[in-house]
Amino acid sequence: DTAVSQTPKYLVTQMGNDKSIKCEQNLGHDTMYWYKQDSKKFLKIMFSYNNKELIINETVPNRFSPKSPDKAHLNLHINSLELGDSAVYFCASSRTSETQYFGPGTRLLVL
Amino acid sequence: DAKTTQPTSMDCAEGRAANLPCNHSTISGNEYVYWYRQIHSQGPQYIIHGLKNNETNEMASLIITEDRKSSTLILPHATLRDTAVYYCIVRVAEYGNKLVFGAGTILRVKS
């Protein structure tokens, strides 16, 4: 009965590679988010999608591209990975303007 | 969104009530007060939210002052599993609005 799930849980990769993180929610929500938590532990919004439409893009490098194939999924593709991309990435979902519920996180380490 | 101020850390004895304060002196009339917590290495967990009135659920109580410039999250009987970073966030409940996380309060529950 997982609400918001993310895969993979851990991702270790080399600089310059391209990788994707997947997020799925079974709550019937129409809005999904990606947040990034860096080494200093601050959580910051990256993107938000509502009904597959991008509504928030918080000055994130073009190397990051979210894709929402349907309302239940929001994937994050990252091109040309850099050392500074190492962080924990959290997916969240909500019913439009209501409370957001978070996934368990994907720990990305770029070597 | 208005900014919040929270103590950096607090200690609480197991079984006692944990009272976590939050100042939000610039809160607007349409901004809600949300509380989330993040237990080590997990995704942020929603606890409770309110606008004007005090709120209670199975996890906690939220006391909001009459002028709405501050609030207190109360965990009535803290357990060791309540050790976490607690975030107080104010946000307008509108279409796709993001959560802006501060540094939060590190609550340590001790036996």
Side-chain angles (χ1 to χ4, degrees):
Chain A
D1 59 344
T2 304
V4 182
S5 59
Q6 296 179 226
T7 54
K9 187 173 182 180
Y10 298 97
L11 183 55
V12 181
T13 188
Q14 299 288 329
M15 266 185 5
N17 284 350
D18 303 338
K19 290 293 178 185
S20 291
I21 306 171
K22 296 186 176 181
C23 178
E24 177 181 2
Q25 54 93 6
N26 63 4
L27 298 167
H29 290 166
D30 56 8
T31 306
M32 297 184 73
Y33 311 78
W34 278 109
Y35 286 80
K36 177 181 179 181
Q37 187 168 38
D38 59 24
S39 56
K40 295 182 180 178
K41 303 297 184 183
F42 284 101
L43 267 157
K44 292 183 180 177
I45 184 76
M46 298 176 70
F47 300 103
S48 172
Y49 267 75
N50 176 270
N51 285 319
K52 304 196 307 177
E53 180 185 349
L54 180 67
I55 54 174
I56 294 177
N57 183 341
E58 284 283 311
T59 321
V60 177
N62 292 338
R63 298 182 296 102
F64 290 79
S65 54
K67 286 186 171 50
S68 181
D70 55 57
K71 285 198 306 183
H73 296 84
L74 180 62
N75 303 324
L76 183 64
H77 188 75
I78 315 171
N79 290 325
S80 302
L81 277 156
E82 300 177 357
L83 294 177
D85 297 332
S86 295
V88 184
Y89 293 84
F90 290 101
C91 176
S93 73
S94 70
R95 182 173 290 120
T96 313
S97 60
E98 297 180 6
T99 301
Q100 294 178 29
Y101 294 90
F102 287 77
T106 295
R107 286 142 190 86
L108 171 64
L109 178 59
V110 182
L111 302 175
Chain B
D1 293 335
K3 291 185 178 178
T4 62
T5 304
Q6 299 178 250
T8 303
S9 64
M10 293 181 64
D11 290 340
C12 177
E14 190 178 19
R16 304 298 294 269
N19 297 292
L20 292 93
C22 179
N23 286 323
H24 30 79
S25 58
T26 59
I27 192 170
S28 301
N30 60 347
E31 287 183 308
Y32 287 75
V33 179
Y34 279 79
W35 283 85
Y36 281 78
R37 72 181 182 184
Q38 188 172 23
I39 297 170
H40 181 63
S41 298
Q42 297 182 21
Q45 179 187 22
Y46 166 75
I47 301 173
I48 199 167
H49 75 283
L51 183 63
K52 295 181 184 178
N53 300 321
N54 298 336
E55 302 287 344
T56 295
N57 63 21
E58 65 279 1
M59 288 183 69
S61 294
L62 174 60
I63 308 298
I64 303 175
T65 58
E66 194 168 339
D67 63 7
R68 304 212 318 127
K69 293 185 176 181
S70 65
S71 60
T72 301
L73 178 74
I74 301 172
L75 307 178
H77 305 288
T79 70
L80 298 178
R81 287 178 295 181
D82 292 320
T83 293
V85 180
Y86 286 77
Y87 298 99
C88 170
I89 300 166
V90 294
R91 71 180 278 263
V92 177
E94 65 183 15
Y95 179 64
N97 202 6
K98 61 192 177 189
L99 291 169
V100 179
F101 288 84
T105 295
I106 300 170
L107 175 68
R108 298 185 189 90
V109 180
K110 300 183 175 182
S111 58

